[in-house]
Amino acid sequence: MSIAQLDNSYEFPHPTNAMTEPNGLLAFGGDLSAERLRVAYHEGIFPWYSPNEPPLWWSPNPRAVLIPGELHTGRTLLRFIRKHTYQITVNYAFDEVIYHCAQRQEGTWIGPDVLRGYQALHHEGLAHSIEVWHDRQLVGGLYGVCIGTLFCGESMFSRMENASKCAFVAFYHHFLHHGGRLFDCQVLNHHTESLGAKNIPREEFLQHLYQLRAQPLQSGCWSKQELDL
């Protein structure tokens, strides 16, 4: 089975045309302009590929999501949160967060074109970051793309104990408080599963997406601010 090659238009094949092996591979080529990224996320598609290679576009089946009310915070993490000295903010340092995510061993797919694409998406108000600070130093965070009341998590990093988990817990409550309805984790891994993410069929995810992408969040969700934890 061959995969589609993207041209200069911003049209993607339907996600159900994605390959089963490798799971979810849908198309290759194109660029990572803000416009193409916007269209991709609007259709449940995301890029993931190695630097110096053509962009690869994915829509896996099943899809990993975190449903409101299913966040797992174990006793150890709760004890840590009660004693924490972190400051957590929204959209204070997007460029720094994505840069640090790119330095992770697992984050080597975040090459220069990925950095530029998501930075452009951030300037358009669609990509956002959550930062964790300790003694005024950035020690953790996450970034992702918001489509209506759906947040698509992209990557996170930690340079101190539980920093990325604290970022997500604080953001989880903040997002729901402003009308957020679902968290897209893309592909299940140990870290997201430990927080309560689970797999659902791609068809079910797309049904959620088509409903939630047209629903606006309450104002103020993405203004620069400090979050409670």
Side-chain angles (χ1 to χ4, degrees), residues 50-62:
S50 299
N52 302 317
E53 294 183 356
L56 299 178
W57 301 89
W58 303 79
S59 184
N61 183 30

Side-chain angles (χ1 to χ4, degrees), residues 3 6 12 21-29 31-32 36-37 40-41 44-60 63 101-102 104-111 113-114 118 143 153-155 185-189:
I3 62 171
L6 302 183
F12 285 89
E21 185 59 42
N23 179 20
L25 182 57
L26 178 67
F28 74 97
D31 57 22
L32 262 73
R36 191 183 298 275
L37 286 170
Y41 280 94
I45 301 162
F46 60 87
W48 183 60
Y49 61 101
S50 299
N52 302 317
E53 294 183 356
L56 299 178
W57 301 89
W58 303 79
S59 184
R63 188 78 166 224
C101 288
R104 298 171 56 226
Q105 182 178 358
E106 303 91 333
T108 52
W109 67 278
I110 305 176
D113 51 346
V114 175
Y118 285 91
Y143 79 95
E154 278 300 318
S155 188
C185 303
Q186 299 179 346
V187 178
L188 197 65
N189 58 41

Side-chain angles (χ1 to χ4, degrees), residues 64-68 149-153 168 171-173 175-176 180-186 205:
V65 299
L66 177 62
I67 297 172
T149 54
L150 168 68
F151 184 80
C152 308
F168 185 78
F171 169 64
Y172 169 89
H173 295 291
F175 189 61
L176 297 188
R181 299 286 300 278
L182 189 66
F183 300 87
D184 171 25
C185 303
Q186 299 179 346
F205 170 77

Side-chain angles (χ1 to χ4, degrees), residues 45-111:
I45 301 162
F46 60 87
W48 183 60
Y49 61 101
S50 299
N52 302 317
E53 294 183 356
L56 299 178
W57 301 89
W58 303 79
S59 184
N61 183 30
R63 188 78 166 224
V65 299
L66 177 62
I67 297 172
E70 297 189 3
L71 176 68
H72 292 171
T73 48
R75 293 180 181 178
T76 301
L77 181 57
L78 287 174
R79 283 196 299 268
F80 182 89
I81 288 173
R82 284 195 291 267
K83 298 177 181 178
H84 84 96
T85 57
Y86 293 151
Q87 179 188 19
I88 302 175
T89 57
V90 176
N91 280 336
Y92 268 58
F94 182 89
D95 291 354
E96 290 85 349
V97 167
I98 191 173
Y99 173 80
H100 284 299
C101 288
Q103 305 310 305
R104 298 171 56 226
Q105 182 178 358
E106 303 91 333
T108 52
W109 67 278
I110 305 176

Side-chain angles (χ1 to χ4, degrees), residues 84 86-90 92 130-133 163 165-171 225-229:
H84 84 96
Y86 293 151
Q87 179 188 19
I88 302 175
T89 57
V90 176
Y92 268 58
I130 311 299
E131 304 88 16
V132 182
W133 308 86
K165 287 188 176 181
C166 287
F168 185 78
V169 170
F171 169 64
Q225 60 195 286
E226 185 173 348
L227 300 185
D228 295 326
L229 181 61

